[in-house]
Amino acid sequence: MEALIPVINKLQDVFNTVGSDSIQLPQIVVLGSQSSGKSSVIESVVGRSFLPRGTGIVTRRPLILQLIYSPLDDRENRSAENGTSNAEEWGRFLHTKKCFTDFDEIRKEIESETERAAGNNKGICPEPINLKIFSTHVVNLTLVDLPGITKVPVGDQPEDIEAQIKDLVVKYIENPNSIILAVTAANTDMATSEALKLAKDVDPDGRRTLAVVTKLDLMDAGTDAIDILCGRVIPVKLGIIGVMNRSQKDINDQKHIDEQMKDEAAFLQRKYPTLATRNGTPYLAKTLNRLLMHHIRDCLPDLKTRVNIMATQFQSLLNSYGEDVSDKSQTLLQIITKFASAYCSTIEGTARNIETTELCGGARICYIFHETFGRTLDSIHPLAGLSKMDILTAIRNATGPRPALFVPEVSFELLVKRQIRRLEEPSLRCVELIHEEMQRIVQHCGNEVQQEMLRFPKLHEKIVDVVTQLLRRRLPHTNVMVENIVAIELAYINTKHPDFHKDAALVPSLLKTDSDPYSQMNLGQRRANTPRNHMSPQVSAQQQQQNNQQQQQQQYSEAHEQNHVGENSTPSMASTWLSNILPPAPTRPDSIENSASNTPVHNNIVSPVKPVNLLPDMPVNHNPRRLTDKEQKDCDVIERLIKSYFYIVRKSIQDSVPKAIMHFLVNYVKDNLQSELVTHLYKSDRAETLLNESDHIAVRRKEAADMLKALTRANHIISEIRETHMW
């Protein structure tokens, strides 16, 4: 059992070398109010006066004190080099290798280290001071001396000094592997003890709390601490031990602690004869040693599990940082090959670690082709931005000064080319989206490659530059090919296309008119003779003409819907999320002038252009006019032909553009990426500089390696104790 505390001291040394407090080792934490006698209790246990003394707050940094019993024949801790072969006691700090045999120098070193970190005017610092004291008179203990709990800031202390000290104290006492030594002065009310209050907050069951009552000799005359020491005032499970410390006068007179021990024993025999054997500093030291050993025995299994878990974690972390580079040329070639393979695998969808939160790589390329680009083309209406007056104007312009007997083919070709050009901009935008995704794939090439990129920032920067330049060189070729696809469709309007020929065959039926005047007359007379008709012949004829036109338009619309099921009828049906891809609809050109019409607006009536007043004093008529039967039928024919041919071209472009992008951009980059990287990186003279690690990676690798070494050693120490049946 006695060997358990040295084991903890060894573990503490192991973790002190790497500056880690992630492993919570068993230790005794001393806390109490300011000037409650904490430092005196620790000095009494050590048997030496070595802590700073004075009024107000003196302990301003945590002091981790390891007491190590070292007999004269101890060869592990004693050495002739340090001059400790025959020394009875000495001290050694973690921040310096010097051995201190004079305890006054130890006090000065503590004071200087405190002022260095916390200033010289009552400020505190959470950074601990580590001190080992080797002696032939001490028991094995690990104590932590904390700043005293205070209420009012003094000196340079901030306004929240109380909260700072409380947070610092709680950080140590909330460690489940620690024993809390709550120090309270006997001349104060136990019910107001801040130390016991904080201990109860973190240890409500009291399984880790031991109370110490100091200054028994300073109680008021006629009073005693029997009820307190017996636990009748405030019960504490681990017990309450009373001690008598040196007064300030004794300290000033340099009264030796051995003399104080004798005076303390005499005082307890005189004042508390029945409790003398269960109180006093020697009994406190033995009790602390016993409690700490049992506590260590109970904590070691969990401690071993914690060490093993952390060792596994740091081993994985060290593996992620990689080994030191010995052959830079070979390592560079391996990274290039790994990156190129990961890049192509991300496009093909064969990567090991597939994203589950978002589309990336080849899946996103497929989505752009068939969802973004496909739906955008589907949303472009064949007649978007094309009014009936535009069609009528084109027909008239194609006939020149002579009135046309038939619909001129030139007008159809001009208008359909105008609509086909609207497919070019979404196609080029599709190229741009694929280019952006190819650039973004660099960031989704797998965790292994990303770790290499973080490890070598210069290489990462150069790889990104090579990929960017390769994509940038291929972008113009791809754009030219897509533009040529649209230009090919514009170069030759194939009116003999099998799909277009079916609609073109229906043109004669659209142009067929009721040319028999007698049939028209008879029809008018029959309608006039019906009892439902009460209108004038002129109005009836006009109404009949409108009905014929509306019926013809309805038949045309129904025929179009049957031939093109699923097509959008108006450009406004396009989804708003595609508005950044769709080209803006061209402004409708103004229609021709007709100043002789004052008829009301009907369904087949369009607004005229802004008329030109050739006679200065002649008023201009701004009213719209109605299309004639022939004009309406000519427009219907052109619209039907435009729709039919536009759907053919749109379907062809929707199929050809993704193929062109895959060939000229995606597949080209996949096939040539590794050769480009080798040409610009591996064969360059800067290959040595590309594998220079970033500073923080090198530092983290060293820290991880040191921590792993410490954890391995700690695990070995715990295993040795287990083998020697000590837990």
Side-chain angles (χ1 to χ4, degrees), residues 162-206:
E162 180 183 1
Q164 289 188 20
I165 294 178
K166 182 178 179 180
D167 294 340
L168 178 61
V169 169
V170 170
K171 175 185 175 182
Y172 282 89
I173 64 176
E174 68 181 359
N175 173 12
N177 295 333
S178 66
I179 295 177
I180 303 172
L181 190 64
V183 179
T184 304
N187 56 359
T188 61
D189 191 352
M190 287 284 290
T192 62
S193 173
E194 288 289 336
L196 289 176
K197 180 179 181 300
L198 289 176
K200 189 175 182 180
D201 291 340
V202 299
D203 182 32
D205 297 333

Side-chain angles (χ1 to χ4, degrees), residues 241-297:
I241 300 176
V243 297
M244 187 181 74
N245 300 329
R246 292 181 300 169
S247 65
Q248 188 62 41
K249 182 177 182 302
D250 294 336
I251 295 173
N252 295 336
D253 295 340
Q254 297 183 352
K255 181 180 180 180
H256 200 274
I257 292 181
D258 291 340
E259 298 179 6
Q260 174 62 25
M261 294 288 187
K262 296 178 182 179
D263 294 342
E264 179 188 49
F267 173 80
L268 291 175
Q269 285 291 342
R270 183 178 69 255
K271 188 71 175 177
Y272 307 98
T274 58
L275 303 176
T277 57
R278 289 180 292 160
N279 290 277
T281 301
Y283 181 78
L284 174 63
K286 293 179 182 179
T287 302
L288 291 176
N289 180 266
R290 175 177 55 83
L291 290 175
L292 186 58
M293 284 190 299
H294 286 285
H295 196 63
I296 292 172
R297 183 191 60 187

Side-chain angles (χ1 to χ4, degrees), residues 71-142:
L72 295 176
D73 58 350
D74 183 8
R75 296 299 175 226
E76 181 179 357
N77 297 315
R78 296 175 179 271
S79 65
E81 298 177 358
N82 297 329
T84 58
S85 298
N86 299 319
E88 289 191 359
E89 49 193 357
W90 70 94
R92 186 169 66 235
F93 290 93
L94 178 64
H95 60 270
T96 177
K97 296 181 179 180
K98 179 181 177 181
C99 290
F100 296 85
T101 56
D102 187 351
F103 281 79
D104 289 335
E105 293 184 4
I106 293 178
R107 179 188 299 109
K108 293 178 182 178
E109 184 67 21
I110 294 175
E111 291 175 348
S112 63
E113 276 296 302
T114 300
E115 292 180 357
R116 180 189 63 81
N120 55 6
N121 198 5
K122 309 302 182 182
I124 67 169
C125 176
E127 182 183 354
I129 299 174
N130 293 83
L131 172 63
K132 286 184 179 181
I133 292 181
F134 302 86
S135 175
T136 58
H137 309 295
V138 298
V139 292
N140 292 310
L141 287 176
T142 300

Side-chain angles (χ1 to χ4, degrees), residues 415-426:
L415 293 173
V416 78
K417 285 183 177 180
R418 169 181 167 180
Q419 298 306 101
I420 291 174
R421 287 191 182 93
R422 303 192 69 230
L423 301 175
E424 182 177 6
E425 186 171 347

Side-chain angles (χ1 to χ4, degrees), residues 189-191 227-228 230-235:
D189 191 352
M190 287 284 290
D227 291 340
I228 296 175
C230 292
R232 290 193 286 266
V233 177
I234 296 179

Side-chain angles (χ1 to χ4, degrees), residues 682-700:
Y682 183 69
K683 295 182 178 179
S684 65
D685 298 334
R686 296 184 299 167
E688 293 291 327
T689 61
L690 292 176
L691 292 183
N692 290 334
E693 288 184 317
S694 66
D695 296 336
H696 74 279
I697 291 293
V699 172
R700 289 180 181 178

